[in-house]
Amino acid sequence: MSTERRTVLADAAIGVLAESGIRGLTHRSVDRAANLPSGTTSAYYRTRQALLTALVRRLVAVDQAELQAIGKQTPALQNTDELAAGIAALVKQRLTGEGRRRSLARYACAIESVHLPELREILMPRENAARQAVCDFLAAQGVANAEDRTVTLLTCVDGLVFDRLVGGGTVSDQEIEGLVAAALR
């Protein structure tokens, strides 16, 4: 079975989930979204759980690749303004366009993972260059337990993204600056 076809189906499933929610995610809806003949998705992913697992694996792979690239392209952070600007750029990316679709799908999968622990294992936060850049900056600023503070900071950022996806609006620079300041205290 073609890896390329599996990727096309997983990408289509992400789009369906983002646009139609968990109830709208069916094999047929993925076939339609991928512009493939009826039955294609079920030929590759026999069960709904197999489809969800493929979707989550693809979502994590794309997110990790994006975060890895951001971290590698970013020179060592020199000051809090640079850290806040980097976080603001990531937040904007997560709230617009393709990033918004992936964010919506990610949160729907996170809720579903409460009932499907195997999804939770795939969704667990992972090390990547962007996360490491934040941790290195906090450590260079003398923050005790920089790893834990990094997790807290990024979890708070994630919470802001979730809040704006659900409630609408954007995340202000002041909100991000406040989170960065709190991480440095």
Side-chain angles (χ1 to χ4, degrees):
M1 289 188 204
S2 162
T3 301
E4 183 179 321
R5 178 66 54 96
R6 288 182 179 280
T7 301
V8 166
L9 291 169
D11 286 341
I14 291 169
V16 169
L17 182 57
E19 293 185 24
S20 302
I22 199 73
R23 289 185 183 168
L25 181 66
T26 65
H27 287 82
R28 271 192 206 142
S29 65
V30 174
D31 288 340
R32 282 192 301 274
N35 240 356
L36 292 169
S38 183
T40 303
T41 302
S42 62
Y44 283 85
Y45 304 110
R46 298 294 306 154
T47 65
R48 179 178 173 78
Q49 188 168 340
L51 178 59
L52 266 172
T53 299
L55 179 162
V56 170
R57 286 187 193 287
R58 177 67 176 154
L59 191 59
V60 168
V62 171
D63 282 349
Q64 282 296 106
E66 180 179 85
L67 292 169
Q68 198 64 15
I70 289 169
K72 286 184 177 182
Q73 294 167 0
T74 304
L77 298 166
Q78 300 299 310
N79 56 53
T80 57
D81 290 342
E82 287 182 6
L83 176 57
I87 291 172
L90 178 64
V91 165
K92 182 177 180 183
Q93 192 172 4
R94 294 283 165 103
L95 290 174
T96 59
E98 186 59 33
R100 176 180 172 77
R101 287 168 44 103
R102 287 198 327 265
S103 293
L104 289 167
R106 184 181 318 101
Y107 292 122
C109 290
I111 297 297
E112 198 65 19
S113 76
V114 170
H115 307 291
L116 298 170
E118 59 277 4
L119 294 183
R120 187 173 39 247
E121 288 299 316
I122 301 167
L123 283 167
M124 292 294 288
R126 291 177 168 58
E127 293 301 316
N128 57 63
R131 182 187 201 106
Q132 192 60 52
V134 172
C135 187
D136 291 347
F137 176 78
L138 293 179
Q141 301 306 306
V143 171
N145 215 345
E147 181 62 37
D148 288 345
R149 286 285 177 92
T150 299
V151 170
T152 300
L153 172 60
L154 297 179
T155 300
C156 290
V157 169
D158 197 41
L160 284 174
V161 170
F162 178 81
D163 181 71
R164 292 335 185 282
L165 282 171
V166 173
T170 60
V171 175
S172 71
D173 291 342
Q174 293 77 20
E175 288 173 298
I176 293 170
E177 290 163 6
L179 291 176
V180 169
L184 289 168
R185 281 196 290 274

